[in-house]
Amino acid sequence: MKNTFGQNISVTLFGESHGEAIGAVIDGLTPGIPVYEERISRELTRRRPSSSIDTPRRENDNFRILSGVFGGKTTGTPLAIIIPNENVKSSDYEYGSARPSHADYTAFCKYHGFEDFRGGGHFSGRITAALCAVGGILLPALEKLGIKIGTHILKCADIKDNEFCDFERDITALNSAPFPTISSECGKNMTKKIKEAAENSDSIGGITQTAVLGAFAGLGEPWFDSVEGLISHAVFSLGGIKGIEFGKGFGFADTKGSESNDEFKVENGKIVTKTNNNGGINGGITNGMPIVFNCAVKPTPSISRPQNTVDFIKKENTEITIHGRHDPAIIRRICPVIDSVCAIVISDLLASRYGNDVFLKGDKLCSSD
Amino acid sequence: MKNTFGQNISVTLFGESHGEAIGAVIDGLTPGIPVYEERISRELTRRRPSSSIDTPRRENDNFRILSGVFGGKTTGTPLAIIIPNENVKSSDYEYGSARPSHADYTAFCKYHGFEDFRGGGHFSGRITAALCAVGGILLPALEKLGIKIGTHILKCADIKDNEFCDFERDITALNSAPFPTISSECGKNMTKKIKEAAENSDSIGGITQTAVLGAFAGLGEPWFDSVEGLISHAVFSLGGIKGIEFGKGFGFADTKGSESNDEFKVENGKIVTKTNNNGGINGGITNGMPIVFNCAVKPTPSISRPQNTVDFIKKENTEITIHGRHDPAIIRRICPVIDSVCAIVISDLLASRYGNDVFLKGDKLCSSD
Amino acid sequence: MKNTFGQNISVTLFGESHGEAIGAVIDGLTPGIPVYEERISRELTRRRPSSSIDTPRRENDNFRILSGVFGGKTTGTPLAIIIPNENVKSSDYEYGSARPSHADYTAFCKYHGFEDFRGGGHFSGRITAALCAVGGILLPALEKLGIKIGTHILKCADIKDNEFCDFERDITALNSAPFPTISSECGKNMTKKIKEAAENSDSIGGITQTAVLGAFAGLGEPWFDSVEGLISHAVFSLGGIKGIEFGKGFGFADTKGSESNDEFKVENGKIVTKTNNNGGINGGITNGMPIVFNCAVKPTPSISRPQNTVDFIKKENTEITIHGRHDPAIIRRICPVIDSVCAIVISDLLASRYGNDVFLKGDKLCSSD
Amino acid sequence: MKNTFGQNISVTLFGESHGEAIGAVIDGLTPGIPVYEERISRELTRRRPSSSIDTPRRENDNFRILSGVFGGKTTGTPLAIIIPNENVKSSDYEYGSARPSHADYTAFCKYHGFEDFRGGGHFSGRITAALCAVGGILLPALEKLGIKIGTHILKCADIKDNEFCDFERDITALNSAPFPTISSECGKNMTKKIKEAAENSDSIGGITQTAVLGAFAGLGEPWFDSVEGLISHAVFSLGGIKGIEFGKGFGFADTKGSESNDEFKVENGKIVTKTNNNGGINGGITNGMPIVFNCAVKPTPSISRPQNTVDFIKKENTEITIHGRHDPAIIRRICPVIDSVCAIVISDLLASRYGNDVFLKGDKLCSSD
């Protein structure tokens, strides 16, 4: 379905970086969900470039809800939300020279030269603002069901943040942190490294870590719609992400079953696991423990150094120096986007299991798992 | 869509480990594709437990094609293939005690106790035989278009295999290798380690590496159906896989843009990249270079040591010692399954771009990318 | 999705008339639904040719459930059911001469000559046996929720049956009637007409009428998944059906709004309509009244008279006389198939609204509409 | 998928009658299709109320394309188009009294009172303007492939228009006719009848007839995506339509196979049928003849006479007299909407068979059928 994701609660994305507006249509929403415009704004703010380590392109993100909300609540019919593009400088871009590790050349292969190439067009990170707007609607609805989502930078350059410790507290803190790390000391050091990279006309990557707290046991499918499969499918939409691992992930390669199996126990009348190496998922299905996953984020491909490349129209070698405006590291700004993408997946899983009216059911859900 | 994957060429899986038969329905196949029963057998054989390091459960995998093939070729209508279950010993399993890191407990949460729990039921690795049968049909069809897929064990215990070097040669060798490593020396050492684990009543994990050679440039979508997204969605169906990375993957976290960007060049009149850190995918879309990805495989959860766990019916702590028959490492047997799953994704991407009759077009496809 | 229908409860069909077996995979079923083999047999019997007015091809329909049922109840994982083809006489068919109003020529256009043409292949009415088997599972599950489905022959030749009067009683009677009319007198006269047509080497069409009793109010979508849209989509799979109308249908063309609007009233504390010209659906959504629709069934295209046609291989005019075995009217045998198809749609609508576990909820559902 | 229709070329609809804007997102479009704003305007004009027999609500339909078009051509990424709502008079509507045969009550059952009820909300015929905008993009793209679509009023009150005779000429004439009939005499008489109904505070229904000329042979699927199934699914989204028949449709009930079978012949080297009783479709698949279908349109439920009804909030009987602005017959305005809906289905069928780039292929398509 290309630009649509989700079976029962689905999101359709549209827009280009330098077009009139970007936006999203959310379908399948339970009627009666409160829509908080200030929460949408907050999610957009978390993603927006703001500090000296971000691209100088600044936008107000004055979103407008065109449909699907009435009296401050969802109607149950498609909710269309658009964000006009404001601060557009198309002259920064010219067509034909493929920016290395960007989608210029692959877009040409796919769209035969008809693509809107300005600012990366439909491939631009700009489109993720629409995802954050969607998150601004879904995240508080999930919170009402006791489900919280948060993402921090686990690693950037050679600095490693703490892992999640007190999920509840950490997620709350992350959702209003200007720089999303659990240790603020680490955050400062990462910022320094990012600035250094920028001064060096370079860019850096990193690893994010996301936790979903409170997801009921029993969500997901053995084939093919495992929770890992759905989250990864959605998350890999984000151009900069090149890897994902759940729980111990690639660390499993170095362990034995006797070391990494998650033993069960009964705790306060509830079945839990002693460790959470499987990241809350067994056989593709949630077991009630926090869902935990890490994403590998590549360095922003846009760097202001000369790079060898080709002109794909002329089919000849050439050199490119990217001017324009860009981030030396997208890892800070990608965190709220992952939260939003994750909220889409979890909402859809809930709707598939509990039906269209899932967000109206509240406490009744918890007791049924 | 749960047990169905793929938009234009889709696969529906069914079956339980100890039921009458497992199987698959492939829909959307181009009419006129030759179906080679010996190739289906070969793919089943690659996956089948065979040596001293595999589970002692042995099956003949006497598949039967029920529909969709006429005169040795696909008809274009749904191809149903079943594999009867033969060597079934249900007494090995009892219900209620959750095997740690298995799906017993999550299946109970999802299916309320109605699941066929014998041998892991629908969660069993047994179901992957049906995927290999599908691969036995799709892989040769892709090969006719010049697309080859191969998987080796990149890492097992602390032994690391060589990376792909000559893709064409390596893939060909892997597809008939009894133990899928590029270096046969490494393969022997890995086998030794797996035996040691088994003798120790333990299990081990590892990392696989897969290459898709010859995929045309221009496949995939920016949102949401990136090539990474589709492959990961399909691959995470396999219960033992807990991580996936494309190209440099998690290694990107330690690099700078200037080090890891893939510069383009013209080579023999064709646009290629000098390095392939992005694993053949830019902005979610194939760039014509080999698609390369690694999967993290966890140690088989079944180990014949006592483990603490719960009885989820009685909701009380208990202990379990798994007898039954199981693999000390599934990593050898998962390689052909990944090839097959990957063949489904690539076939579907081709059909979405080039239409229903994609496999009849042959050379015409190549020239259009 | 071609051979798959349904969003949350979906059915995938496969098989050819003269292949090894036909079958279906039902996915998304609530775990714990009792599966009554005798009910499956009964639905197959209702569809099976049996009397002098049906094709002489007779099959035992010895279905086998391969997966998805454990201890007599659904597991919640895909239920695969197959029916071997037994009484096959392929010599009756030869390739190239297009039987008028059959799919021979269109199959050739679509499948380029690779189609299994024997006995109509995948286009054969034989495939509807698999639909009836599905109905044999879904219909009793719906009945437990108070939803009943029945179909009678409203018109055949120039004989018109009574309309539904007492839905409950009529549906019950129809489900065990050897010839599905409300007035048995009408049934006898229709049988006579069908025999006359057969003696005359001809065939006749008719109109069926279906009622769904007890469907809760609030099912369906305004765009695009109206109840009319979903039912018609599914029903038009049946090759012989060329028209469908809901409620007054084409009769609306001759009425005024003041005559055909369905006024509401409160009756025994329940909101109902005084008339049911809209067939239980307003704005695409059920209103709680019986869903009523009629289908136009064309005369069986197979007639044993010489007909002009073409040989589509040679692209030249020719003549054909169809021998083989065929029904002079499929209208009797299509009634249980419509019931089954309708059961798929209603089950899926319920699952979409009330969630995956819909059939476990019983009385709780009724109170929520 | 609710408000999304189509597999490879899909349309997502959003909007409410009295909200800020309505709109559509078209996904899967071939890049490089010219977008003619004047054609979009023309399709919107055909649908717009304009004469004395239409609702007095008048809107400029100043559509805006937000994305997916660059340099006057489609980019291949989602095309979002919105139409602001301008002439809104919400005071005409009050909540609780169910207008008979409207969706007020069913919307309440489905959306629990959260629906935007003003002007029918998401159920309003207003939303069809977005469909016509989509038609304004797809119809000229189809015309370039030689495929033309036209709809006329076959019957209104007791007046019957001529059937299609010269398809090419009739469709061209209909597409610019102020009142869509083949005989202009009939059109005048129908207009008179509609005025009479209006003067009488009443409304009338009718039957439309649509033809698709030039659809290649071989489109559609035997199960479940027959051409009849897909067209009917899409067409039944239109609230006023309650029946559909293909070719002879319900007329088949009164014929014999010997009378109504469509014999084939070779004509100018092309295989055609002598008659077209099957409306261009055999076994669910196009045979190359014109696709012809009729739709039953019910009288506009809004009539300005007192009607009995219920207040569904208070659950008590009441009376309603609808003031507001409404059409005495929607049949004139529904014709261009059916054309647009039909264009979506045909475009999607073409993309499914010939691939994503279908509209770039032009002549190459014709030769392949």
Side-chain angles (χ1 to χ4, degrees), chain D residues 71-308:
Chain D
K73 290 184 175 162
T74 56
T75 56
T77 55
L79 191 162
I81 187 165
I82 63 169
I83 312 175
N85 288 320
E86 294 171 349
N87 191 347
V88 168
K89 283 171 78 177
S90 295
S91 60
D92 288 340
Y93 297 87
E94 68 181 300
Y95 191 64
S97 291
R99 290 170 300 159
S101 293
H102 266 292
D104 302 337
Y105 171 61
T106 55
F108 169 76
C109 295
K110 182 172 177 63
Y111 302 112
H112 314 299
F114 295 109
E115 66 275 13
D116 179 354
F117 60 86
R118 301 167 303 163
H122 189 55
F123 291 82
S124 167
R126 171 75 186 139
I127 316 304
T128 60
L131 287 173
C132 286
V134 171
I137 292 163
L138 296 179
L139 286 163
L142 288 170
E143 287 161 10
K144 284 223 171 126
L145 300 180
I147 300 171
K148 294 185 176 181
I149 301 175
T151 300
H152 69 109
I153 307 175
L154 182 65
K155 193 180 177 193
C156 181
D158 49 358
I159 298 153
K160 206 169 169 314
D161 191 21
N162 302 336
E163 302 253 344
F164 280 104
C165 167
D166 177 335
F167 283 96
E168 187 98 29
R169 189 200 59 195
D170 292 344
I171 291 174
T172 306
L174 286 169
N175 284 344
S176 57
F179 194 89
T181 46
I182 291 175
S183 148
S184 59
E185 186 65 21
C186 282
K188 279 179 209 151
N189 293 334
M190 289 178 186
T191 307
K192 208 182 295 173
K193 293 280 183 177
I194 296 172
K195 274 189 192 155
E196 279 172 29
E199 283 158 17
N200 220 354
S201 301
D202 214 335
S203 64
I204 50 176
I207 298 175
T208 61
Q209 182 170 62
T210 302
V212 182
L213 186 66
F216 315 125
L219 303 178
E221 302 288 336
W223 313 91
F224 289 87
D225 291 348
S226 68
V227 175
E228 294 107 328
L230 294 175
I231 289 178
S232 64
H233 187 158
V235 156
F236 275 122
S237 296
L238 310 177
I241 292 184
K242 296 298 284 189
I244 191 167
E245 57 180 1
F246 292 82
K248 212 176 183 65
F250 280 88
F252 275 115
D254 303 317
T255 67
K256 299 222 160 58
S258 60
E259 298 157 355
S260 57
N261 276 357
D262 295 316
E263 293 189 322
F264 289 98
K265 64 175 175 178
V266 178
E267 193 175 76
N268 304 324
K270 218 173 160 279
I271 292 171
V272 297
T273 58
K274 294 182 187 179
T275 50
N276 190 16
N277 294 320
N278 283 279
I281 307 166
N282 291 144
I285 296 179
T286 52
N287 63 13
M289 298 299 291
I291 302 171
V292 182
F293 63 90
N294 302 336
C295 296
V297 182
K298 73 178 182 184
T300 326
S302 296
I303 54 175
S304 43
R305 297 181 182 195
Q307 297 180 82
N308 292 311

Side-chain angles (χ1 to χ4, degrees), chain B residues 1-13:
Chain B
M1 282 303 290
K2 305 182 182 82
N3 293 272
T4 298
F5 187 83
Q7 180 162 17
N8 285 291
I9 292 181
S10 65
V11 172
T12 300
L13 274 188

Side-chain angles (χ1 to χ4, degrees), chain C residues 30 37 63 69 115 150 161 163 168 210 229 256 311 352:
Chain C
T30 308
E37 304 222 337
F63 66 89
V69 176
E115 66 276 12
D161 190 21
E163 303 252 343
E168 189 98 29
T210 302
K256 298 222 163 56
D311 182 311
S352 296

Side-chain angles (χ1 to χ4, degrees), chain B residues 276-328:
Chain B
N276 189 16
N277 294 319
N278 283 279
I281 307 165
N282 291 145
I285 295 178
T286 52
N287 64 14
M289 299 297 292
I291 302 172
V292 182
F293 63 91
N294 302 337
C295 295
V297 182
K298 72 177 183 186
T300 325
S302 294
I303 53 176
S304 44
R305 297 181 182 197
Q307 297 181 83
N308 293 311
T309 190
V310 297
D311 182 311
F312 50 78
I313 304 291
K314 302 185 191 149
K315 246 186 173 178
E316 60 187 33
N317 290 321
T318 181
E319 204 186 75
I320 193 169
T321 303
I322 302 172
H323 303 293
R325 302 167 294 180
H326 41 78
D327 297 275

